Amino acid sequence: MNAVDIGSLAVNFKRGASPFSALDLEDLRVEEGECFGLIGGSGSGKSTLLRVLAGLQRDWSGGVRLLGRSLEVKRAFTGSLRREVQMVFQDPYASLHPLHRIRRSLREPRQINGLPFDERSLIASLDQVGLPGEVLDRFPHQLSGGQRQRVAIVRALQLQPKLLLLDEPTSALDMTVQAEILNLLQARRQDTGMTMIVVSHDIHTVAHLCDRGVVIKQGRIEQRLDRNGLIERADGQAW
Ligand SMILES: Nc1ncnc2c1ncn2[C@@H]1O[C@H](COP(=O)(O)OP(=O)(O)OP(=O)(O)O)[C@@H](O)[C@H]1O
Ligand SMILES: [Mg+2]
């Protein structure tokens, strides 16, 4: 089964009097268990696509199936899709409540989804991304950008998603931590069979993680890349 099956997908935003086409895609499929990369310049529509797939951008047209279910325009996700699809945002400030301590930001999604909350296993998960247990008592503004990003990754993974949408997941991390997080994500995907869609400016990150991908330009698919295509493109581009 395809985890994501887009027959067509268009998103228009208002810009002054005329509509602006942020996304106009056809024929994009991501297989279950696959890591799929979205590459493209700033403003090309990468985050917009992930926001549609996360159920956050609900004004779109086309035909989109996610984990075997058809999405409905202007409808929030219901039922198991709310847990099964998780997104790590480009700006983790946007996803962590500024007035809630990290403990609460991690506990509440589990409780809402009927999963037990066990502080010890949570501390073990934080340790996997190189964070000490004491971050649980802090507020988001008391963490660095890279620490927030890692909290957001723990928060998404702890819900055992079937589809994980990662928007520049390691952009705020230094090279060493970045490699650790990417390896963790890869290992988790291999263990659980979850599907990942990774947005990155950095072709090397995508080539390291992904089986296939597309280059998006001005909301359209410019190029489709298989594993070799990703590697070739990364080799042609210096770090
Ligand atoms: N809510 C919105 N209202 C109007 N225009 C928007 C909105 N969200 C995004 N856009 C526009 O749509 C286009 C695509 O934006 P998007 O955030 O998807 O780009 P991106 O590829 O993620 O870029 P970056 O790499 O900088 O994050 C941009 O021109 C952006 O200005
Ligand atoms: Mg973006």
Side-chain angles (χ1 to χ4, degrees), residues 156-180:
L157 285 179
Q158 67 164 357
L159 296 177
Q160 293 147 15
K162 289 189 176 169
L163 174 61
L164 182 61
L165 308 168
L166 299 157
D167 200 347
E168 300 280 1
T170 56
S171 58
L173 304 176
D174 66 51
M175 292 285 260
T176 318
V177 183
Q178 188 172 354
E180 281 170 18

Side-chain angles (χ1 to χ4, degrees), residues 103-130:
R103 176 179 289 99
R104 184 168 172 188
S105 287
L106 292 172
R107 186 180 58 210
E108 279 187 353
R110 283 190 72 89
Q111 289 176 334
I112 289 167
N113 286 287
L115 297 168
F117 178 76
D118 164 17
E119 184 141 332
R120 261 193 311 177
S121 61
L122 183 57
I123 289 172
S125 305
L126 288 168
D127 184 57
Q128 282 190 319
V129 297

Side-chain angles (χ1 to χ4, degrees), residues 7-238:
S8 65
L9 172 61
V11 175
N12 295 306
F13 292 119
K14 287 197 185 70
R15 193 167 277 184
S18 53
F20 160 73
S21 165
L23 213 51
D24 189 1
L25 302 178
E26 273 177 10
D27 204 19
L28 187 63
R29 286 176 187 86
V30 179
E31 285 168 30
E32 226 170 14
E34 180 175 42
C35 177
F36 193 89
L38 300 179
I39 309 153
S42 187
S44 56
K46 307 180 299 294
S47 295
T48 304
L49 172 55
L50 286 198
R51 288 173 54 78
V52 171
L53 298 179
L56 300 169
Q57 170 67 40
R58 296 178 196 143
D59 201 356
W60 50 271
S61 59
V64 181
R65 287 175 68 79
L66 221 52
L67 303 172
R69 273 157 284 182
S70 290
L71 295 191
E72 287 181 60
V73 174
K74 300 212 168 141
R75 286 280 178 85
F77 284 1
T78 54
S80 55
L81 265 192
R82 286 168 54 188
R83 179 187 64 77
E84 288 171 357
V85 181
Q86 293 297 318
M87 176 157 169
V88 174
F89 293 87
Q90 189 165 14
D91 169 13
Y93 249 134
S95 61
L96 297 173
H97 194 298
L99 302 178
H100 291 175
R101 292 181 201 275
I102 300 303
R103 176 179 289 99
R104 184 168 172 188
S105 287
L106 292 172
R107 186 180 58 210
E108 279 187 353
R110 283 190 72 89
Q111 289 176 334
I112 289 167
N113 286 287
L115 297 168
F117 178 76
D118 164 17
E119 184 141 332
R120 261 193 311 177
S121 61
L122 183 57
I123 289 172
S125 305
L126 288 168
D127 184 57
Q128 282 190 319
V129 297
L131 292 175
E134 67 192 46
V135 301
L136 290 173
D137 291 312
R138 299 203 213 152
F139 293 97
H141 75 268
Q142 294 170 323
L143 299 178
S144 72
Q147 289 172 329
R148 278 194 293 273
Q149 220 168 17
R150 284 179 276 170
V151 168
I153 289 170
V154 168
R155 193 172 72 150
L157 285 179
Q158 67 164 357
L159 296 177
Q160 293 147 15
K162 289 189 176 169
L163 174 61
L164 182 61
L165 308 168
L166 299 157
D167 200 347
E168 300 280 1
T170 56
S171 58
L173 304 176
D174 66 51
M175 292 285 260
T176 318
V177 183
Q178 188 172 354
E180 281 170 18
I181 302 293
L182 296 182
N183 289 339
L184 170 76
L185 290 167
Q186 197 71 308
R188 183 63 73 93
R189 180 170 72 94
Q190 277 155 5
D191 290 348
T192 64
M194 73 174 173
T195 309
M196 295 198 305
I197 302 184
V198 184
V199 163
S200 182
H201 283 116
D202 178 19
I203 177 75
H204 298 277
T205 298
V206 173
H208 178 73
L209 280 181
C210 295
D211 311 302
R212 290 192 304 135
V214 288
V215 180
I216 299 185
K217 192 172 181 188
Q218 294 177 345
R220 276 113 186 115
I221 294 173
E222 187 190 49
Q223 198 182 358
R224 294 174 191 263
L225 298 165
D226 61 10
R227 176 102 204 104
N228 286 337
L230 287 173
I231 292 168
E232 272 169 30
R233 205 177 156 108
D235 282 348
Q237 217 168 303

